[in-house]
Amino acid sequence: MTDFSTDSATRPHESGRDSRVTQWLVSLPPTLFLLVFFLAPALIMLVASFQYPGEFGGLAPLFIDGQANLSLETYRFFFSDLIYAEIFLRSFLVAAATTLICLILAYPLALTIAHSPKRHRDLLVLLVILPFASNFLIRIYAWIILLGPANLLYTPFAVIAGMVYVHLPFMILPLYTNLEKHDPALLEAAQDLGAGAWTRFWRVTFPLSLPGIWSGTALVFIPVLGMFAIPELLGGTGDILIGNLIKEQFLDNRDWPLGSTLSLLLTLAVLLLAGFSAWAGRTRRRLA
Amino acid sequence: MAILEIRNVTRRFGNLKAVDDVSLSIEAGEFFTLLGPSGCGKTTLLRMIAGFDEPDQGALFLEGRPLAGIPPEKRPVHTVFQSYALFPHMSVAQNIAFPLRMAGKDEDEIRRRLKETLELVHLSDKAQHFPHELSGGQKQRVALARGLINKPRLLLLDEPLGALDAKLREQMEGELIALQREVGITFVFVTHSQQEALALSHRIAVMNEGRIEQVDRPEQIYGYPKNRFVADFIGTINLLPVEVCEATHGHLRLAVAGLGEIIAPALAGVKAGERGMFALRPEQVRVSARHEAQELHNHYHGKVRDYLYLGDVTVYKVELDNGVLLEALLANSAPGRAKFFEIGDTLGVGWRHDSGVYLRD
Ligand SMILES: Nc1ncnc2c1ncn2[C@@H]1O[C@H](COP(=O)(O)OP(=O)(O)O)[C@@H](O)[C@H]1O
Ligand SMILES: [Mg+2]
C-alpha cells in the first residue's frame, strides 16, 4: 500500500519544472484569448455603463474640459421603474422553465442512447446534433408555420416551445456524456443488494449524473437568458425578455450606457445564481 | 439439507455451452469454491445463482425453494464483485449500510449493525471516507462488509482477490477464512487460482469448459485427482502413460513404456489391460545420491537435467536412464538435503508403492 503512494508522490517532482512550463505554454493562448475577448469587453461595458450616450449613438466622451463626464443615470433609471425588474424576473422564469423541460425531455433520451448498443450510439448522437446543420432562423420560421394555424403563435407557450427546441441538444449531450461513463456494475451491485429499478435510478444513476445535469443546466439556462431572436419571432409584445431589452438599447434606442448596465446586471445575476448553487451543493454534500 | 441445490443446469450462448449440465449441492456454512481456468463458465454459473441470468435447462433451489423467476433484488444472495463496484458517491458507511436501507431496517438497527460490521472488517476509522480515498485492500473489505451486513443466505465472491498484489492477497486470504468462520455465512467463491482454492475452501468444484470435473475436499482434489484435467490443473504433477498389468484389492501393477513395471495404489473398477496415466506429485518423488533409494519398490537412476531454486524448495528435472522426465521437489531445510545437486549429477530416483494415482483416460 505504502509503496504505491510514495511512488506516485515522487514522480511529479522528477519532471515537475518541465511539465509546469509546458502546461503554462499550452494554456497561455486560451488564457490570453479569454483575457482579451472576455475580460476586456466586460471592463469596457463597466465603464460604458457610467457614461452618457453619444448624440448620434455610441458614447459621449469620458472627459470634457478635463472633467470626468460620468453619472449613475442608467442605474437610477433601472431601479426607478419596476418594468425592468419584471422583465428580469420573467426572463429568469422562462430560462428556468426551459431548463426544467429540457432536463425532463433530455434525461430519458440520454439514458436510452447511453444504454443502446455501442455501435448505434454515435449515430444517435449525430441525430441529436443534426438540426444544427440547418440555419437557426429557418428553424424558427418553421415553428411560425407550425404554430400559426394552431393559434399558438405570439404566446408565452410559443416562446418556451422554441427555446426548448433550440436548446435541447445542449442538455442531451452533457447528460449523455456523463451517463455513458457510468459503470454498469454499480447498477448490478445495487440490484444484487436489494434495490428495485426505481431505487436504483434515484440512489445510483441520478446522483452520479448530477455533474452532467449541472453542465446541461448551465448550457441551457444562460443562453436562454440572453436569447432575443426567439421571443421576437415567436413571442407577443408582452413576452420580451432581457435579451430583447439589451438588443433594443444598442440597435434601436442607441442608448449604449443603458444597454451596458443591463448586460452587466444580467451577468451579475447569473454569477450570483451560480455562486449560490455551488454553495448550496457543497452544504448539501456536507450534511449528507 | 443443502442450502443451494443446482440441478442439471445448462446455459448456452449461441453454440457455446458456457455451463453444461452442472449439478452441485452446497451445504449451509460451507466455504465452497468453483475453480477453473478463465472462460470455463464460473461467472456464468454465479450469475445464475445471483439471478442476473437464468438457466436454459435445469433448475436452482435455495433452501429447497426454486429460484426460477425471482429477480436478483429479491434473492437473499449477495455478491462481492471482482471490481468491488463500490458506490463512488457514498461514504464507506453509506456503502456498507446500503443493503440494510434497501431492506427497510430502522435507523437504530442500521447504526448498531454498521458499527459491528465496521469492526468486523477493521474499518471503523474509515467510515466517513469515500471509496476513492481507500487502498485496494480496504476497498475489498468494504465490498465484503457490504455483502455480509444483511446476513444473506449465500455470499457469492467472483475472483475477489484478483486485483490485489501477492502480499495483500495472502493477507486477505487469512482474513477471508477468519471472517467466514466468524459470521457462519455460506460462501460460494470463484477463482482460477488453485493455490487460493486449496488454501480457503472446505470443498472445491473443479470446472472445465462448462462442466464439473470433480467435487471434493482440497486434500482429496490434490491427492486423488479424478482425471487428467484435474491432476494437471491443480499444482504440478508428473504424468506417465501406462498400461494396467494387474489390478488387485491391494495394488495395481502398471507397465510404463521403457521403465518396466511399477506398483501403484489400488483403484476401484480398474481392469487389467486398460490404458491410462500414472500421476505422481513432485514432492512424492525421492531423489538421493546414487544407490540410496534402493529400499523403495519403484526405484530408478537418472541425471539432473535442470533445476529451479525457489528458496524453500528446489525443483529438479530428472531424466531417467530410459528418457522419461520426472520432476522432483526437495525441501531445502530437510536434514541431509541441504546440498544441491548440480546439472549432470547422477541420482537415485524412487517413490513409495502407495504414492501416486492411476488416472483412466
Ligand atoms: N453474455 C454472454 N454472451 C456470450 N457469451 C458469453 C456471455 N457471457 C459469457 N460468455 C462466454 O461464456 C464462457 C464462460 O464465461 P465466464 O462464465 O465468464 O467464464 P469464467 O468466469 O470462468 O472466466 C466464455 O467463453 C464467455 O466468452
Ligand atoms: Mg469470471
Short mmCIF file of all heavy atoms in Angstrom, two decimals, chain A residues 193-230:
data_model
loop_
_atom_site.label_atom_id
_atom_site.label_comp_id
_atom_site.label_asym_id
_atom_site.label_seq_id
_atom_site.Cartn_x
_atom_site.Cartn_y
_atom_site.Cartn_z
N LEU A 193 -27.95 -6.07 -4.09
CA LEU A 193 -28.09 -5.77 -2.66
C LEU A 193 -29.51 -5.37 -2.29
O LEU A 193 -29.74 -4.88 -1.19
CB LEU A 193 -27.11 -4.66 -2.27
CG LEU A 193 -25.63 -5.03 -2.47
CD1 LEU A 193 -24.74 -3.82 -2.36
CD2 LEU A 193 -25.21 -6.09 -1.47
N GLY A 194 -30.46 -5.55 -3.23
CA GLY A 194 -31.86 -5.40 -2.85
C GLY A 194 -32.58 -4.19 -3.40
O GLY A 194 -33.70 -3.92 -2.99
N ALA A 195 -31.97 -3.42 -4.33
CA ALA A 195 -32.63 -2.22 -4.84
C ALA A 195 -33.45 -2.54 -6.09
O ALA A 195 -32.93 -3.11 -7.04
CB ALA A 195 -31.59 -1.15 -5.16
N GLY A 196 -34.73 -2.13 -6.09
CA GLY A 196 -35.57 -2.27 -7.27
C GLY A 196 -35.20 -1.20 -8.29
O GLY A 196 -34.36 -0.35 -8.02
N ALA A 197 -35.87 -1.24 -9.48
CA ALA A 197 -35.48 -0.37 -10.59
C ALA A 197 -35.54 1.11 -10.20
O ALA A 197 -34.63 1.88 -10.49
CB ALA A 197 -36.39 -0.64 -11.79
N TRP A 198 -36.62 1.52 -9.55
CA TRP A 198 -36.83 2.91 -9.17
C TRP A 198 -35.75 3.38 -8.20
O TRP A 198 -35.15 4.44 -8.38
CB TRP A 198 -38.22 3.01 -8.55
CG TRP A 198 -38.75 4.39 -8.44
CD1 TRP A 198 -39.09 5.02 -7.28
CD2 TRP A 198 -39.01 5.31 -9.50
NE1 TRP A 198 -39.53 6.29 -7.56
CE2 TRP A 198 -39.49 6.50 -8.92
CE3 TRP A 198 -38.85 5.27 -10.89
CZ2 TRP A 198 -39.83 7.62 -9.65
CZ3 TRP A 198 -39.19 6.39 -11.64
CH2 TRP A 198 -39.67 7.54 -11.03
N THR A 199 -35.48 2.55 -7.18
CA THR A 199 -34.45 2.88 -6.19
C THR A 199 -33.09 2.95 -6.86
O THR A 199 -32.27 3.82 -6.52
CB THR A 199 -34.42 1.81 -5.10
OG1 THR A 199 -35.76 1.49 -4.74
CG2 THR A 199 -33.67 2.29 -3.89
N ARG A 200 -32.83 2.05 -7.78
CA ARG A 200 -31.52 2.06 -8.47
C ARG A 200 -31.33 3.38 -9.19
O ARG A 200 -30.26 3.97 -9.17
CB ARG A 200 -31.44 0.90 -9.49
CG ARG A 200 -31.36 -0.45 -8.87
CD ARG A 200 -30.78 -1.47 -9.83
NE ARG A 200 -31.64 -1.80 -10.97
CZ ARG A 200 -32.67 -2.61 -10.94
NH1 ARG A 200 -33.01 -3.19 -9.80
NH2 ARG A 200 -33.38 -2.88 -12.02
N PHE A 201 -32.41 3.87 -9.82
CA PHE A 201 -32.28 5.13 -10.52
C PHE A 201 -31.99 6.27 -9.53
O PHE A 201 -31.03 7.01 -9.70
CB PHE A 201 -33.54 5.46 -11.33
CG PHE A 201 -33.47 6.80 -11.99
CD1 PHE A 201 -32.72 6.98 -13.14
CD2 PHE A 201 -34.11 7.90 -11.43
CE1 PHE A 201 -32.62 8.23 -13.73
CE2 PHE A 201 -34.01 9.16 -12.01
CZ PHE A 201 -33.27 9.31 -13.16
N TRP A 202 -32.78 6.39 -8.49
CA TRP A 202 -32.65 7.55 -7.59
C TRP A 202 -31.43 7.46 -6.70
O TRP A 202 -30.90 8.48 -6.28
CB TRP A 202 -33.92 7.72 -6.75
CG TRP A 202 -35.03 8.30 -7.56
CD1 TRP A 202 -36.19 7.68 -7.93
CD2 TRP A 202 -35.07 9.60 -8.15
NE1 TRP A 202 -36.96 8.52 -8.70
CE2 TRP A 202 -36.29 9.71 -8.85
CE3 TRP A 202 -34.20 10.69 -8.16
CZ2 TRP A 202 -36.66 10.86 -9.55
CZ3 TRP A 202 -34.58 11.84 -8.85
CH2 TRP A 202 -35.79 11.91 -9.54
N ARG A 203 -30.98 6.24 -6.40
CA ARG A 203 -29.84 6.10 -5.49
C ARG A 203 -28.49 6.04 -6.20
O ARG A 203 -27.46 6.32 -5.61
CB ARG A 203 -30.00 4.82 -4.65
CG ARG A 203 -31.15 4.87 -3.69
CD ARG A 203 -30.66 5.41 -2.39
NE ARG A 203 -31.71 5.37 -1.41
CZ ARG A 203 -31.47 5.31 -0.11
NH1 ARG A 203 -30.23 5.23 0.32
NH2 ARG A 203 -32.46 5.32 0.74
N VAL A 204 -28.51 5.59 -7.46
CA VAL A 204 -27.22 5.41 -8.15
C VAL A 204 -27.13 6.30 -9.39
O VAL A 204 -26.31 7.21 -9.45
CB VAL A 204 -27.00 3.93 -8.54
CG1 VAL A 204 -25.67 3.75 -9.23
CG2 VAL A 204 -27.08 3.04 -7.30
N THR A 205 -28.00 6.05 -10.38
CA THR A 205 -27.88 6.77 -11.65
C THR A 205 -28.01 8.28 -11.46
O THR A 205 -27.16 9.05 -11.91
CB THR A 205 -28.95 6.28 -12.64
OG1 THR A 205 -28.87 4.86 -12.71
CG2 THR A 205 -28.74 6.87 -14.01
N PHE A 206 -29.07 8.71 -10.77
CA PHE A 206 -29.32 10.14 -10.65
C PHE A 206 -28.20 10.89 -9.92
O PHE A 206 -27.66 11.85 -10.46
CB PHE A 206 -30.68 10.40 -10.01
CG PHE A 206 -31.03 11.85 -9.95
CD1 PHE A 206 -31.46 12.52 -11.08
CD2 PHE A 206 -30.90 12.55 -8.76
CE1 PHE A 206 -31.76 13.87 -11.04
CE2 PHE A 206 -31.20 13.91 -8.71
CZ PHE A 206 -31.63 14.57 -9.86
N PRO A 207 -27.82 10.47 -8.71
CA PRO A 207 -26.75 11.24 -8.04
C PRO A 207 -25.44 11.26 -8.84
O PRO A 207 -24.74 12.27 -8.85
CB PRO A 207 -26.56 10.53 -6.70
CG PRO A 207 -27.38 9.31 -6.74
CD PRO A 207 -28.37 9.42 -7.84
N LEU A 208 -25.15 10.16 -9.54
CA LEU A 208 -23.91 10.15 -10.31
C LEU A 208 -24.00 11.02 -11.55
O LEU A 208 -22.98 11.40 -12.13
CB LEU A 208 -23.56 8.71 -10.72
CG LEU A 208 -23.04 7.81 -9.59
CD1 LEU A 208 -22.84 6.39 -10.09
CD2 LEU A 208 -21.74 8.35 -9.03
N SER A 209 -25.24 11.36 -11.97
CA SER A 209 -25.38 12.17 -13.18
C SER A 209 -25.46 13.65 -12.86
O SER A 209 -25.56 14.48 -13.77
CB SER A 209 -26.63 11.74 -13.96
OG SER A 209 -27.79 12.10 -13.24
N LEU A 210 -25.39 14.02 -11.57
CA LEU A 210 -25.51 15.44 -11.20
C LEU A 210 -24.52 16.36 -11.94
O LEU A 210 -24.91 17.43 -12.40
CB LEU A 210 -25.38 15.61 -9.69
CG LEU A 210 -26.67 15.29 -8.91
CD1 LEU A 210 -26.43 15.38 -7.41
CD2 LEU A 210 -27.80 16.22 -9.33
N PRO A 211 -23.26 15.96 -12.10
CA PRO A 211 -22.36 16.85 -12.86
C PRO A 211 -22.86 17.10 -14.27
O PRO A 211 -22.77 18.22 -14.77
CB PRO A 211 -21.03 16.07 -12.88
CG PRO A 211 -21.11 15.13 -11.73
CD PRO A 211 -22.56 14.79 -11.54
N GLY A 212 -23.42 16.06 -14.91
CA GLY A 212 -23.97 16.22 -16.26
C GLY A 212 -25.17 17.15 -16.24
O GLY A 212 -25.35 17.98 -17.14
N ILE A 213 -26.02 17.00 -15.21
CA ILE A 213 -27.18 17.88 -15.10
C ILE A 213 -26.75 19.33 -14.93
O ILE A 213 -27.30 20.23 -15.56
CB ILE A 213 -28.06 17.44 -13.89
CG1 ILE A 213 -28.68 16.08 -14.18
CG2 ILE A 213 -29.15 18.48 -13.61
CD1 ILE A 213 -29.55 15.55 -13.08
N TRP A 214 -25.72 19.56 -14.11
CA TRP A 214 -25.25 20.93 -13.90
C TRP A 214 -24.69 21.53 -15.19
O TRP A 214 -24.98 22.67 -15.53
CB TRP A 214 -24.19 21.00 -12.79
CG TRP A 214 -24.80 20.93 -11.42
CD1 TRP A 214 -24.48 20.06 -10.43
CD2 TRP A 214 -25.85 21.76 -10.88
NE1 TRP A 214 -25.26 20.28 -9.31
CE2 TRP A 214 -26.11 21.33 -9.57
CE3 TRP A 214 -26.59 22.82 -11.39
CZ2 TRP A 214 -27.08 21.91 -8.75
CZ3 TRP A 214 -27.56 23.41 -10.58
CH2 TRP A 214 -27.79 22.94 -9.28
N SER A 215 -23.87 20.75 -15.93
CA SER A 215 -23.33 21.29 -17.19
C SER A 215 -24.46 21.63 -18.14
O SER A 215 -24.48 22.71 -18.74
CB SER A 215 -22.42 20.28 -17.89
OG SER A 215 -21.61 19.63 -16.98
N GLY A 216 -25.42 20.71 -18.27
CA GLY A 216 -26.54 20.93 -19.18
C GLY A 216 -27.34 22.15 -18.76
O GLY A 216 -27.73 22.98 -19.60
N THR A 217 -27.56 22.28 -17.45
CA THR A 217 -28.32 23.41 -16.95
C THR A 217 -27.63 24.73 -17.30
O THR A 217 -28.27 25.67 -17.78
CB THR A 217 -28.47 23.29 -15.42
OG1 THR A 217 -29.20 22.09 -15.14
CG2 THR A 217 -29.22 24.48 -14.85
N ALA A 218 -26.32 24.76 -17.10
CA ALA A 218 -25.58 25.99 -17.42
C ALA A 218 -25.66 26.28 -18.91
O ALA A 218 -25.87 27.42 -19.32
CB ALA A 218 -24.13 25.85 -16.98
N LEU A 219 -25.53 25.22 -19.73
CA LEU A 219 -25.52 25.41 -21.18
C LEU A 219 -26.87 25.83 -21.73
O LEU A 219 -26.96 26.37 -22.83
CB LEU A 219 -25.06 24.12 -21.88
CG LEU A 219 -23.57 23.81 -21.78
CD1 LEU A 219 -23.25 22.49 -22.44
CD2 LEU A 219 -22.78 24.92 -22.45
N VAL A 220 -27.96 25.54 -21.00
CA VAL A 220 -29.28 25.94 -21.46
C VAL A 220 -29.71 27.25 -20.80
O VAL A 220 -30.11 28.20 -21.46
CB VAL A 220 -30.32 24.82 -21.16
CG1 VAL A 220 -31.73 25.31 -21.48
CG2 VAL A 220 -29.98 23.58 -21.96
N PHE A 221 -29.58 27.31 -19.48
CA PHE A 221 -30.10 28.44 -18.71
C PHE A 221 -29.50 29.77 -19.17
O PHE A 221 -30.22 30.73 -19.45
CB PHE A 221 -29.81 28.21 -17.23
CG PHE A 221 -30.52 29.14 -16.30
CD1 PHE A 221 -31.81 28.86 -15.88
CD2 PHE A 221 -29.91 30.30 -15.85
CE1 PHE A 221 -32.48 29.71 -15.03
CE2 PHE A 221 -30.58 31.16 -14.99
CZ PHE A 221 -31.86 30.87 -14.58
N ILE A 222 -28.19 29.82 -19.28
CA ILE A 222 -27.52 31.09 -19.56
C ILE A 222 -27.81 31.60 -20.98
O ILE A 222 -28.21 32.75 -21.14
CB ILE A 222 -26.01 30.98 -19.26
CG1 ILE A 222 -25.84 30.75 -17.76
CG2 ILE A 222 -25.28 32.22 -19.71
CD1 ILE A 222 -24.45 30.38 -17.33
N PRO A 223 -27.69 30.77 -22.02
CA PRO A 223 -28.03 31.27 -23.36
C PRO A 223 -29.50 31.70 -23.46
O PRO A 223 -29.80 32.67 -24.15
CB PRO A 223 -27.75 30.08 -24.28
CG PRO A 223 -26.78 29.25 -23.55
CD PRO A 223 -27.09 29.43 -22.10
N VAL A 224 -30.41 30.99 -22.79
CA VAL A 224 -31.82 31.37 -22.87
C VAL A 224 -32.02 32.78 -22.31
O VAL A 224 -32.79 33.58 -22.85
CB VAL A 224 -32.71 30.35 -22.10
CG1 VAL A 224 -34.12 30.89 -21.94
CG2 VAL A 224 -32.74 29.03 -22.85
N LEU A 225 -31.29 33.11 -21.23
CA LEU A 225 -31.41 34.44 -20.63
C LEU A 225 -31.06 35.53 -21.63
O LEU A 225 -31.64 36.61 -21.61
CB LEU A 225 -30.46 34.55 -19.43
CG LEU A 225 -30.99 34.08 -18.10
CD1 LEU A 225 -29.93 34.31 -17.04
CD2 LEU A 225 -32.26 34.83 -17.74
N GLY A 226 -30.10 35.27 -22.49
CA GLY A 226 -29.66 36.30 -23.41
C GLY A 226 -30.34 36.25 -24.77
O GLY A 226 -30.10 37.10 -25.62
N MET A 227 -31.16 35.22 -24.99
CA MET A 227 -31.76 34.99 -26.31
C MET A 227 -32.77 36.08 -26.66
O MET A 227 -33.64 36.40 -25.86
CB MET A 227 -32.41 33.61 -26.29
CG MET A 227 -33.26 33.27 -27.49
SD MET A 227 -32.30 33.15 -29.00
CE MET A 227 -31.47 31.59 -28.75
N PHE A 228 -32.66 36.71 -27.85
CA PHE A 228 -33.67 37.70 -28.23
C PHE A 228 -34.42 37.33 -29.49
O PHE A 228 -35.53 37.76 -29.71
CB PHE A 228 -33.05 39.10 -28.39
CG PHE A 228 -31.94 39.16 -29.41
CD1 PHE A 228 -32.24 39.30 -30.76
CD2 PHE A 228 -30.61 39.07 -29.01
CE1 PHE A 228 -31.23 39.37 -31.70
CE2 PHE A 228 -29.60 39.13 -29.95
CZ PHE A 228 -29.90 39.28 -31.30
N ALA A 229 -33.83 36.47 -30.33
CA ALA A 229 -34.48 36.15 -31.60
C ALA A 229 -35.79 35.39 -31.40
O ALA A 229 -36.79 35.69 -32.05
CB ALA A 229 -33.53 35.33 -32.47
N ILE A 230 -35.78 34.44 -30.48
CA ILE A 230 -36.98 33.60 -30.32
C ILE A 230 -38.16 34.40 -29.77
O ILE A 230 -39.25 34.35 -30.35
CB ILE A 230 -36.66 32.35 -29.47
CG1 ILE A 230 -35.72 31.44 -30.28
CG2 ILE A 230 -37.92 31.61 -29.09
CD1 ILE A 230 -35.24 30.24 -29.52
#
